[in-house]
């Protein structure tokens, strides 16, 4: 097969012989789709997080959902069997409140379109949340709240239309629920943009203000971002220059992973949070030679791209097949996405299609 080499982090699925909970000091865990979904714990999440904590890994819960306060989130996690303190929860409401406080005078009024989590975060920064554009706000901020209605969105549009500085906790277009995907804060931001024009300053993942807030609050020195979304969790890890673990319990699936552009490619991939407790095999690459296209091997699987089609051979753990497939697909795609690559047969063989 020619000279062989080990894959590198971020260009292909990375490897680590040690359990991740022993390699990284802090897990920066997304919540929706990773720890819980629709108010219920995701399978294997409770026992995996307990074992990771017992192994010396600190746990921090990082969410773009700005509706709940950290205390409420910690109480929910505790009810689900994951004991947590409010100080272990970092929300996009906290990140956007810090961002606003750096740009308006202390004590300023802020039109808060969102849940209690947003109002509490603003007060912690010495800002006064108000409910109407007629109250002279120095800024307007939007955060997710399932109870938001037309009247609140209209108040935001009135303020933005008058030139009041506009902020958003995050712009996730969807949010996972027990019944499927529902509109997220990004969809509501688009409603206001349609009415008033402009673009808000955004604090949440994948943007730097959220990563800064997380590091400031956790003091993590060697963090691992753990998430289920390529466009927020994994992209945010890339933006922050830290390693990441994608779990396949939420939004992203194997097909999206294979087609991911460079800034959406995780360091590791696992079926669920049990991936924190295990080592992750490294994918071996063989340099192209007379035998044909470059092959990538992981466990019992070998993957290569031939004339735009991903081919998988071998057997064993389907995740090893996915790792090998990612290495082959990402190498073939280079700095672009692999969305034009034919992967259906490979996914079917892995039972992931």
């Amino acid at each position: 097969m020619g000279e062989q080499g080990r894959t590198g982090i971020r260009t292909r699925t990375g490897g680590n012989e040690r359990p991740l909970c022993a390699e990284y000091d802090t897990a920066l865990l997304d919540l929706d789709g990773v720890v819980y979904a629709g108010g219920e714990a995701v399978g294997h999440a409770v026992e995996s997080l307990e074992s990771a904590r017992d192994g010396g890994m600190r746990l921090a819960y990082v969410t773009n959902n700005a509706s709940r306060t950290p205390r409420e989130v910690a109480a929910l996690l505790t009810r689900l069997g994951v004991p947590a303190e409010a100080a272990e929860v970092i929300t996009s409401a906290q990140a956007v409140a810090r961002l606003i406080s750096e740009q308006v005078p202390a004590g300023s009024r802020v039109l808060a379109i969102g849940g209690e989590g947003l109002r509490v975060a603003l007060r912690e920064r010495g800002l006064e949340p108000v409910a109407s554009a007629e109250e002279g706000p120095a800024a307007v901020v939007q955060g997710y709240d399932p109870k938001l209605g037309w009247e609140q969105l209209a108040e935001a549009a009135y303020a933005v239309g008058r030139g009041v500085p506009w902020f958003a906790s995050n712009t996730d277009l969807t949010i996972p629920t027990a019944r499927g995907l529902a509109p997220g804060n990004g969809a509501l931001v688009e409603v206001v943009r349609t009415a008033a024009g402009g673009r808000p300053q955004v604090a949440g993942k994948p943007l730097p203000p959220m990563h800064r807030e997380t590091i400031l609050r956790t003091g993590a020195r060697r963090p691992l971002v753990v998430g289920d979304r390529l466009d927020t969790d994994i992209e945010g890890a890339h933006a922050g220059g830290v390693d990441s673990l994608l779990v396949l319990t939420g939004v992203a699936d194997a097909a999206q992973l294979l087609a991911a552009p460079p800034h959406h490619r995780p360091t590791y991939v696992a079926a669920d949070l049990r991936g924190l407790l295990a080592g992750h095999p490294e994918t071996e690459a063989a340099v192209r030679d007379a035998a044909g296209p470059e092959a990538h091997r992981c466990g019992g699987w070998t993957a290569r791209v031939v004339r735009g089609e991903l081919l998988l051979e071998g057997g064993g753990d389907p995740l090893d097949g996915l790792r090998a497939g990612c290495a082959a697909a990402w190498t073939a795609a280079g700095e672009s996405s692999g969305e034009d690559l034919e992967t259906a047969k490979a996914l079917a063989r892995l039972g992931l299609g």
Side-chain angles (χ1 to χ4, degrees), residues 7-8 45 56-57 81 170 188 208-209 212 232 246 304-306 323 329 334 344 346:
T7 62
M57 182 178 241
N170 69 292
L188 302 178
R212 178 181 60 153
T232 54
L246 178 76
R304 68 184 75 213
V305 174
V306 179
R323 293 177 181 117

Side-chain angles (χ1 to χ4, degrees), residues 26-27 47 79 98 118 121 123 148 158-159 176 178 182 190 207 236-237 327:
T26 308
E47 57 267 34
R79 286 198 301 272
R98 187 186 297 271
L118 189 60
R123 293 189 189 104
L148 275 181
Y158 300 147
E190 285 300 302
L207 297 173

Side-chain angles (χ1 to χ4, degrees), residues 154-272:
E155 291 296 329
Y158 300 147
V160 172
R162 295 171 187 172
V164 176
W166 183 21
F167 298 81
S169 63
N170 69 292
T171 50
D172 295 357
L173 291 174
T174 62
I175 186 169
T177 74
R179 296 174 59 189
L181 293 179
N185 193 55
L188 302 178
V189 167
E190 285 300 302
V191 171
V192 174
R193 187 187 68 81
T194 299
R199 295 279 182 183
Q201 294 185 53
V202 183
K205 297 181 286 187
L207 297 173
M210 188 66 174
H211 182 73
R212 178 181 60 153
E213 190 73 22
T214 300
I215 298 303
L216 285 173
R217 288 180 179 269
T218 65
R221 294 184 177 273
R222 184 158 167 73
L224 178 71
V225 169
V226 184
D228 69 309
R229 299 182 71 117
L230 301 177
D231 60 347
T232 54
D233 304 314
I234 306 307
E235 184 176 338
H238 276 267
V242 300
D243 291 350
S244 60
L245 168 67
L246 178 76
V247 291
L248 300 175
T249 50
V251 173
D253 58 23
Q256 293 170 339
L257 182 60
L258 288 167
H263 60 293
H264 286 177
R265 296 171 186 171
T267 314
Y268 311 103
V269 61
D272 50 55

Side-chain angles (χ1 to χ4, degrees), residues 10 27 53 77 80 106 119 127 162 216 219 250 282 287-288 345 347:
R10 303 196 197 292
R53 190 190 294 273
L77 288 168
L80 294 176
R119 290 186 285 273
L127 302 169
R162 295 171 187 172
L216 285 173
E282 198 163 23
V287 175
R288 182 196 305 263
K345 292 179 182 178
L347 290 171

